[in-house]
Amino acid sequence: MAGNRKVLKPHQRIAAVLSSVGRKAWARRAWIAGSVAFMLSSAGIHQAAGHLSRTGRFNLKNVEVLGAFRFDPAMVEEICGLETGVTNVFTTDADEVMDRCMEDDRIEWAEVTRLLPDRIRIRIREASPVIFAAAPEGVRAFDSMGRRYFAADPDWAPGLPLLTGLQQMMEPVVLAAQDDETPRQRRSRLARQAQADREHADRVGQVVAEAARLVACMDTRHPDWLQGGVVVDWDEALGFELRMPDRPVISFGFEGFDEKVARIDSVLAVAMARDLDVEQIYLDDDESSSSGSLRWREKGTALTSVVTFE
């Protein structure tokens, strides 16, 4: 049989291959035509999109900012990296703009929408700090749960109370390296250092949350005392003190803030009945409605005394 097989000449082989390819191509003509049309249309769309993106029709004319209270809309536009008259709305990636917006700790949430041809809408929810805490680098803002927001200028949220006394606890923990420290010892030291940092951060959060609760208690019963601003002093041994302009310093200690705030009027009534010029009120942990101590100054003199009463 092998000897009877027809041997094709080179030009006959080429003709046979082309004939086979032609038959397959004809059988798939619809698919091939569709693919070519798709490539041509895609290229056309891409070319058209490229042309449109280079025209001034899509240059940003207006940024609509919703949800901003402390932020000026121009600040939000700058944070997002947008520039009126320059940014091309057609080629702008809304997700990238949102990511840039969320990089600012003062913004909790953001949503960006392109409104073709020339507008962008940005919805934001600003962070809502309730207290500032003095820190080694300036001040830090916290929410009511003691969670840190950002390092910020107090002018960004004027009127918030300022907590002091935590600066040292906010310093990064640095454990000294031993001489000829081995890699294993170094890993152990860095792990202990990181753990100490976390413990300090947790403790700071707890103290901040307690300070915020104390101010909230005062705001409920004596909001007028807070109108001029308030400084909350923290001492690890003595607890909290409130300092307000033209008011006595109030020492609250560590706990029972609701009951102690409710006792202030009774304490001041006792002081008034004794005609005392009160400088400081010490509220102890006795549940009696009028228990405590007063540091008072004799009127017209610099002499001070402390009186304790029940």
Side-chain angles (χ1 to χ4, degrees):
M1 295 296 292
N4 296 331
R5 187 168 56 189
K6 184 178 180 179
V7 178
L8 299 178
K9 296 180 179 180
H11 72 276
Q12 290 175 321
R13 293 177 183 175
I14 294 173
V17 171
L18 291 176
S19 177
S20 175
V21 171
R23 286 194 300 271
K24 292 180 180 179
W26 178 254
R28 300 182 180 180
R29 61 188 182 278
W31 180 85
I32 293 174
S35 298
V36 172
F38 174 77
M39 287 187 290
L40 291 175
S41 63
S42 297
I45 292 172
H46 180 74
Q47 185 177 7
H51 172 72
L52 289 173
S53 67
R54 290 189 295 271
T55 69
R57 184 71 181 89
F58 293 97
N59 286 353
L60 181 62
K61 290 184 178 179
N62 179 52
V63 178
E64 182 182 358
V65 179
L66 305 177
F69 298 99
R70 296 185 179 95
F71 277 110
D72 183 272
M75 292 175 61
V76 178
E77 182 177 341
E78 181 180 354
I79 289 169
C80 292
L82 303 174
E83 189 173 352
T84 303
V86 176
T87 299
N88 188 290
V89 178
F90 187 85
T91 59
T92 293
D93 188 317
D95 289 337
E96 290 182 2
V97 175
M98 181 189 68
D99 290 342
R100 286 195 295 269
C101 192
M102 294 284 290
E103 286 175 359
D104 193 303
D105 289 337
R106 295 171 294 178
I107 298 174
E108 286 188 338
W109 171 87
E111 179 185 69
V112 178
T113 306
R114 297 184 307 159
L115 303 173
L116 296 175
D118 54 14
R119 292 189 301 136
I120 290 179
R121 176 180 297 145
I122 303 173
R123 299 177 184 272
I124 67 172
R125 181 172 64 244
E126 295 178 353
S128 302
V130 300
I131 191 169
F132 284 115
E137 74 280 7
V139 296
R140 298 177 187 174
F142 292 82
D143 67 7
S144 60
M145 301 299 292
R147 293 172 297 201
R148 178 184 174 185
Y149 273 130
F150 47 84
D153 186 335
D155 291 338
W156 190 75
L160 292 185
L162 175 66
L163 173 63
T164 65
L166 294 176
Q167 292 92 321
Q168 185 174 355
M169 198 180 298
M170 291 182 179
E171 290 279 5
V173 176
V174 178
L175 300 181
Q178 300 177 0
D179 294 335
D180 301 324
E181 185 179 54
T182 65
R184 181 175 181 179
Q185 290 172 330
R186 181 177 183 275
R187 288 193 298 270
S188 175
R189 175 176 59 83
L190 293 180
R192 287 182 283 110
Q193 182 173 291
Q195 178 62 29
D197 265 329
R198 287 192 294 270
E199 291 174 356
H200 280 202
D202 290 344
R203 181 55 178 155
V204 167
Q206 293 169 2
V207 173
V208 170
E210 284 294 289
R213 190 169 69 83
L214 170 56
V215 174
C217 291
M218 280 293 294
D219 191 46
T220 299
R221 289 182 174 267
H222 299 282
D224 53 316
W225 283 46
L226 308 178
Q227 293 303 311
V230 57
V231 174
V232 186
D233 289 333
W234 161 255
D235 183 277
E236 191 73 42
L238 301 176
F240 293 100
E241 285 187 350
L242 292 190
R243 298 180 182 275
M244 298 150 287
D246 303 320
R247 301 284 186 178
V249 175
I250 306 179
S251 298
F252 283 91
F254 296 94
E255 56 187 13
F257 299 145
D258 290 316
E259 182 275 325
K260 290 177 179 178
V261 168
R263 204 193 308 165
I264 291 175
D265 286 337
S266 298
V267 171
L268 291 178
V270 172
M272 185 176 296
R274 300 187 183 188
D275 196 25
L276 303 179
D277 190 3
V278 179
E279 289 187 344
Q280 188 162 1
I281 300 173
Y282 302 90
L283 297 171
D284 58 32
D285 293 325
D286 193 319
E287 295 184 358
S288 170
S289 62
S290 60
S291 63
S293 301
L294 298 173
R295 187 180 72 224
W296 58 282
R297 182 179 64 255
E298 290 188 26
K299 294 182 178 179
T301 74
L303 300 177
T304 61
S305 303
V306 174
V307 59
T308 301
F309 55 88
E310 297 295 333

